[in-house]
Amino acid sequence: MTADTEAQQPLLKNEHAGWVAAETDAAAKRSWTRTARRFLSPVITALIVLVLLALHQYGALPGVEGLASCPAPGALLIKAPRQNLWKNLDLQEAVDIRAWLAEPERGLNLTAHENATDSDNVIHVVEAYQPSKADALAHLANGTHVDRYAHAIINHGPADVIVDYLVGPLPISNETTLRPLSENYHNRIPLNARTTFNYVLLSELLLELLAPLDPVTSDLFNVSVSDGTVTAAGQAPMSYDGTWRRTWVQLKRDTPGAWLHAFDMYFLFDLTGTDVSTYAILAVVHGGKVYKGVNDVIAAWDKGELKRTVEYDTSDWATRARRGKQRDLDDRAGPRSYLPDGARYRVDFQEDYVTWMGWAFYLSFERDMGLHIWDINFRGERIIFELSPQEAMAQYSGSDPHQASTVWLDRAFGMGGSVRPLIKGYDCPAHATLLDATVHEAGSTTRPGAICVFEREGDRPLSRHTGYGPGEMGAVKGYELVVRSVSTVGNYDYIFDYTFQLDGTIEIRLSASGYLQGGAYDASESPYGHQLRPGLMGSLHDHIINYKIDLDVAGVRNSLMRVRMEQEVLDAPWVDLDGWGEVVQTKLVREVVEKEGAFDYAPNAEGAYVVLNTNSTNAWGNPRGYALHPGPLVKLANTRAKRTERSVEWAKHHVAVTRRKETEPCSSSMWNSNLPGAPPVDFGKFLDDESIEQEDLVVWANLGTHHIPRAEDSPNTLTNVATSYVLLVPWNFNDYDVAMESANSVLVNPAGQWEIDEPVRAKHCAPPAEPRLAYDGMQGWREDGTPFDPDEVHEARSQAEQFHMMGMWTRRD
């Protein structure tokens, strides 16, 4: 029997051990059985219905309300001990700030975003500005009042500059002032560094510039501007130091999954300044040959020099449409988790405050990088003051000008602004608690259910042992609390996970999915990736994601210890007694690092970096600390590219440690992407040789992958491979494994018969029925607080994200 034939058999038929022998005897009985079923089936069915109705009437049926249903899965409520100082502005605060900035007294001469061009003064973003750490700690300790501030980013078109302003105190009053936040930036921010465009004017220009190529693109690729079948993708960085702005634009087929439908035609656009009428095509590349402009391409085609070389696959292969043969039993719903006693975590929805199993922390959300976590406490002690993503970069390779020139720094496009409502039951368990996320960019938008919080049982026990002495045998369940958000920046989806464990460990994980940045393929591209379909490929690239971890281990003042392993020849009087001779073994070498620096993890994981307090010890005299245990060791592979000259200094090593400063809140900025030669935030200048012994320290840790695309990355990259993590692990912070406090554990003792000590057992109950999946879009408001209708919200967000895939640039109404 073949595997395919076997898969078609009824369940258990060919699994029953005595099936072959029983089949002969059963044959004689089948005729009688068929006759009996014909008459008895209706009677039996009626009896079953009557029994079920009776059980339902008297409340004996599992799942009947009030008897055997599991508790509702929602989070339990709690009142946060303090106000969330880091929470973003609410809608009214954002409206009030914009109105105040627009008053003539400010002298800003602002134009409403809806009516603005690139040459106007326009507010790009307003959001909360975080208080100083000293003020925040005083507030957390004793409730000291802290004034609330915001910052407002304004593009000054006439002055050719972008300025980040501090606004406050809030609420708006006669005491409110405005000043530039110049102390947070190393260089001026020229307007050419912006990633915003006037897409209406730009689309009209590009239609005009590309339309003459319709006969060429129709012949070579079977697409054209006139019939709306062509789109385009840009690349970054667009400038070196802000004196000019240019991008290579690649043509793609305008179809679902367009990221993968790339064509071998590239345009170098000059987009310098704010006058769209001066924008121009400087060069065109096709077939490895450079043309001076569109007219030269048309002339070459007229001469028969350009030929179609690929018959493209125009099917739906690049979509997520189901395909292939359905697998055995896949028509059954897969396993689901449920909460037999209800949720075991608490949430203050007003203050975005969460507690679980000794953990407690606050959440905040912002435009650039999304979800941040603050004041992380474990068993009553602060472990981390701030845990937040800082930047996500992707650097590509290829022989064509688009792939070879691309370095994305996704902070530029707003990873917070790129989140969407989560798909409940898929992105997160159906029983997860959902939180909203609001961003005040070009107005205000709220993504309902963009953050999820849930508890899960790990796929293995946290600890266990099989033994025979009293108290030796048992296990602790590996429960975890997860806080998750998903950001879709153009083609890529980034899953941000923060996982809290019972022993005090925190896992920071980043997983990637979504579409590859597809390229045009021929044999010469083989060193840079793999062919996915005729003429199409996925290109080699690095993902590096930087995180800020402001650890406060047993206090604010900490040191960095480097632990490494060395081999030694043991010198001991007993060495020669057993006939083995020389003993070579491994020992630990501990070194407190004196100065700030960027560091690499030890080869073969032969060591660790530990943030510890040398003035605080556990019961056994060991300095209390937290260690970094990385997953895949990843740093930027190409450190010599001019397109990353100064903009990503944090990515060139695995980890960096600096003394904390209020003027160094972030390792990057939204403008670093287009200013690699003069970045507004130059992380290299953070490393200024200051002492880090018993100081307030910040760890800047990297996650990432060297992504070698394969056929299995189509249609979308898989999160089981494209994932990276680092564990923050107690290092003598406690006196023992504090997960042993968990009542969700078992002791098995040999006392004649095995004795089972299991304090908590799951109740037998029926989980609540999962409602049918529904999906809601975003809610949006104009700068003055008046609401957009749903279509306007979708259109506004689509325009804001057009740079990665400029479908609207070349799509006619």
Side-chain angles (χ1 to χ4, degrees):
M1 182 180 292
T2 66
D4 287 345
T5 305
E6 184 178 23
Q8 296 170 8
Q9 304 307 306
L11 180 65
L12 297 182
K13 182 176 180 181
N14 60 352
E15 297 174 8
H16 195 290
W19 178 77
V20 176
E23 185 66 13
T24 302
D25 294 337
K29 301 176 183 178
R30 285 176 183 152
S31 178
W32 181 90
T33 302
R34 292 191 193 101
T35 304
R37 283 176 179 167
R38 187 178 299 117
F39 294 102
L40 292 177
S41 290
V43 177
I44 294 171
T45 301
L47 289 172
I48 291 173
V49 171
L50 289 172
V51 170
L52 291 174
L53 288 173
L55 289 171
H56 187 280
Q57 180 178 355
Y58 292 102
L61 186 65
V64 172
E65 184 177 356
L67 181 63
S69 293
C70 299
L76 301 175
L77 301 181
I78 191 173
K79 175 68 175 175
R82 300 293 182 203
Q83 176 189 359
N84 185 343
L85 296 177
W86 307 279
K87 192 173 182 179
N88 205 352
L89 306 172
D90 62 29
L91 176 61
Q92 192 57 54
E93 287 178 314
V95 169
D96 291 346
I97 291 168
R98 294 191 197 101
W100 183 81
L101 290 171
E103 291 175 354
E105 292 83 351
R106 308 291 91 75
L108 296 173
N109 191 27
L110 296 175
T111 300
H113 193 277
E114 282 187 287
N115 305 318
T117 67
D118 289 340
S119 58
D120 292 319
N121 297 315
V122 61
I123 300 172
H124 181 196
V125 176
V126 295
E127 62 189 8
Y129 188 73
Q130 307 307 342
S132 72
K133 184 173 181 178
D135 286 349
L137 293 181
H139 171 79
L140 293 168
N142 52 41
T144 302
H145 173 75
V146 177
D147 285 337
R148 186 161 165 81
Y149 283 80
H151 74 112
I153 296 169
I154 298 179
N155 292 356
H156 292 280
D160 189 34
V161 69
I162 300 170
V163 180
D164 190 3
Y165 293 96
L166 183 68
V167 180
L170 302 177
I172 296 294
S173 70
N174 292 333
E175 304 299 318
T176 301
T177 60
L178 176 74
R179 70 167 181 85
L181 271 168
S182 55
E183 66 269 26
N184 291 353
Y185 300 103
H186 298 109
N187 293 297
R188 176 181 180 271
I189 308 168
L191 199 64
N192 275 331
R194 72 194 186 281
T195 56
T196 57
F197 293 88
N198 186 315
Y199 288 102
V200 174
L201 296 178
L202 196 56
S203 64
E204 293 174 355
L205 172 70
L206 295 182
L207 285 168
E208 178 184 340
L209 293 176
L210 295 179
L213 278 172
D214 270 5
V216 180
T217 58
S218 295
D219 181 34
L220 300 182
F221 312 124
N222 198 29
V223 298
S224 69
V225 169
S226 60
D227 65 9
T229 55
V230 67
T231 183
Q235 55 78 222
M238 300 178 69
S239 184
Y240 174 72
D241 58 8
T243 56
W244 43 262
R245 188 167 67 149
R246 303 173 193 138
T247 184
W248 283 101
V249 170
Q250 181 179 29
L251 292 189
K252 294 179 182 275
R253 186 182 306 278
D254 193 357
T255 187
W259 308 104
L260 299 179
H261 290 269
F263 295 130
D264 177 26
M265 187 163 284
Y266 313 90
F267 303 85
L268 179 59
F269 277 93
D270 187 340
L271 307 175
T272 303
T274 61
D275 184 354
V276 176
S277 67
T278 66
Y279 295 174
I281 296 175
L282 302 181
V284 184
V285 173
H286 171 70
K289 184 176 180 180
V290 177
Y291 299 87
K292 293 181 180 180
V294 169
N295 290 336
D296 281 2
V297 175
I298 295 172
W301 177 74
D302 285 337
K303 295 176 184 177
E305 297 175 2
L306 307 185
K307 301 289 186 181
R308 181 185 296 201
T309 59
V310 178
E311 292 300 325
Y312 294 97
D313 183 346
T314 59
S315 69
D316 66 353
W317 67 271
T319 75
R320 293 193 56 83
R322 297 179 188 88
R323 67 207 65 188
K325 181 180 178 182
Q326 185 170 344
R327 301 184 185 185
D328 184 33
L329 302 183
D330 195 32
D331 57 329
R332 298 183 172 190
R336 301 288 195 270
S337 58
Y338 77 106
L339 309 179
D341 284 320
R344 302 199 307 162
Y345 57 93
R346 304 176 188 273
V347 175
D348 182 333
F349 290 90
Q350 179 65 34
E351 300 298 338
D352 289 336
Y353 176 75
V354 180
T355 69
W356 174 78
M357 296 294 143
W359 290 100
F361 48 83
Y362 294 88
L363 305 176
S364 73
F365 198 86
E366 46 109 276
R367 176 263 182 203
D368 280 9
M369 293 302 296
L371 182 65
H372 293 206
I373 307 181
W374 302 87
D375 189 36
I376 301 175
N377 281 251
F378 181 58
R379 298 171 77 240
E381 287 190 80
R382 179 178 303 107
I383 306 297
I384 295 174
F385 177 72
E386 178 187 356
L387 171 55
S388 59
Q390 296 294 299
E391 184 62 275
M393 72 166 292
Q395 183 178 29
Y396 285 78
S397 297
S399 65
D400 69 69
H402 188 263
Q403 303 290 354
S405 302
T406 296
V407 182
W408 296 120
L409 271 64
D410 284 335
R411 188 182 187 114
F413 307 103
M415 299 197 78
S418 300
V419 302
R420 293 292 179 275
L422 296 164
I423 306 174
K424 202 168 186 181
Y426 293 85
D427 289 328
C428 306
H431 59 71
T433 295
L434 300 182
L435 304 174
D436 298 343
T438 296
V439 171
H440 304 291
E441 178 182 27
S444 299
T445 50
T446 292
R447 292 98 171 134
I451 304 164
C452 68
V453 180
F454 60 93
E455 185 180 6
R456 69 184 177 196
E457 183 175 357
D459 58 3
R460 59 191 181 275
L462 184 58
S463 67
R464 61 132 15 247
H465 182 65
T466 299
Y468 299 95
E472 285 188 349
M473 185 173 180
V476 174
K477 283 183 175 288
Y479 288 115
E480 303 170 333
L481 186 79
V482 181
V483 182
R484 174 176 295 165
S485 68
V486 180
S487 179
T488 301
V489 186
N491 53 310
Y492 261 110
D493 295 60
Y494 294 94
I495 304 174
F496 290 89
D497 280 351
Y498 303 91
T499 302
F500 300 86
Q501 302 179 6
L502 294 171
D503 67 324
T505 292
I506 301 172
E507 181 190 78
I508 307 168
R509 181 178 289 270
L510 191 285
S511 306
S513 189
Y515 286 101
L516 297 170
Q517 177 176 290
Y521 180 82
D522 62 32
S524 68
E525 294 293 337
S526 168
Y528 310 111
H530 292 103
Q531 184 173 207
L532 305 177
R533 284 294 190 281
L536 305 175
M537 70 177 294
S539 298
L540 174 67
H541 57 282
D542 281 355
H543 290 284
I544 312 292
I545 299 88
N546 187 241
Y547 288 81
K548 179 181 183 180
I549 312 170
D550 183 356
L551 284 152
D552 286 351
V553 181
V556 171
R557 296 189 177 275
N558 295 152
S559 296
L560 177 68
M561 182 173 70
R562 180 191 292 116
V563 181
R564 54 190 174 86
M565 299 163 65
E566 284 187 357
Q567 277 63 55
E568 67 169 3
V569 177
L570 183 63
D571 182 14
W574 54 264
V575 165
D576 294 324
L577 299 181
D578 55 12
W580 285 89
E582 184 178 79
V583 174
V584 180
Q585 64 179 6
T586 303
K587 69 176 182 179
L588 296 177
V589 178
R590 300 175 181 88
E591 171 193 8
V592 174
V593 179
E594 297 180 357
K595 303 287 187 179
E596 295 176 323
F599 311 101
D600 290 333
Y601 296 119
N604 198 36
E606 295 178 11
Y609 285 100
V610 185
V611 175
L612 48 74
N613 189 333
T614 57
N615 295 327
S616 177
T617 60
N618 67 4
W620 322 118
N622 302 304
R624 302 176 72 202
Y626 258 73
L628 281 73
H629 278 249
L633 304 182
V634 176
K635 59 183 178 180
L636 187 62
N638 178 4
T639 60
R640 297 163 50 203
K642 189 172 183 178
R643 287 177 169 85
T644 58
E645 187 172 277
R646 296 294 303 175
S647 55
V648 294
E649 291 300 285
W650 48 268
K652 298 176 181 179
H653 295 273
H654 291 135
V655 65
V657 179
T658 64
R659 186 189 294 189
R660 187 189 188 280
K661 296 178 181 177
E662 295 295 342
T663 55
E664 296 174 349
C666 305
S667 64
S668 188
S669 77
M670 72 167 74
W671 309 283
N672 273 36
S673 174
N674 288 327
L675 295 169
V681 176
D682 187 340
F683 184 78
K685 294 182 178 179
F686 287 24
L687 307 174
D688 46 8
D689 208 36
E690 291 184 296
S691 170
I692 55 172
E693 292 189 68
Q694 289 305 105
E695 299 286 352
D696 191 359
L697 304 185
V698 174
V699 174
W700 310 87
N702 292 328
L703 305 184
T705 59
H706 301 302
H707 193 168
I708 305 173
R710 57 206 169 104
E712 290 81 1
D713 279 305
S714 67
N716 290 160
T717 291
L718 302 173
T719 61
N720 58 352
V721 177
T723 188
S724 181
Y725 66 89
V726 63
L727 300 175
L728 306 179
V729 180
W731 182 283
N732 298 309
F733 185 81
N734 305 301
D735 299 334
Y736 59 93
D737 171 19
V738 296
M740 297 302 295
E741 298 168 348
S742 176
N744 279 259
S745 59
V746 64
L747 274 172
V748 182
N749 285 310
Q753 297 294 324
W754 292 95
E755 293 181 352
I756 306 298
D757 177 5
E758 192 178 16
V760 178
R761 296 195 63 203
K763 294 181 176 66
H764 179 68
C765 60
E770 292 185 15
R772 290 193 64 84
L773 181 63
Y775 191 81
D776 297 321
M778 296 184 294
Q779 303 165 355
W781 298 265
R782 296 177 177 83
E783 289 181 302
D784 63 2
T786 57
F788 288 112
D789 65 40
D791 289 341
E792 289 177 312
V793 177
H794 179 75
E795 181 75 8
R797 282 313 307 167
S798 295
Q799 289 198 22
E801 296 168 12
Q802 281 303 302
F803 181 72
H804 275 82
M805 178 65 73
M806 296 172 281
M808 292 184 64
W809 286 30
T810 55
R811 186 179 296 130
R812 294 186 185 276
D813 293 334

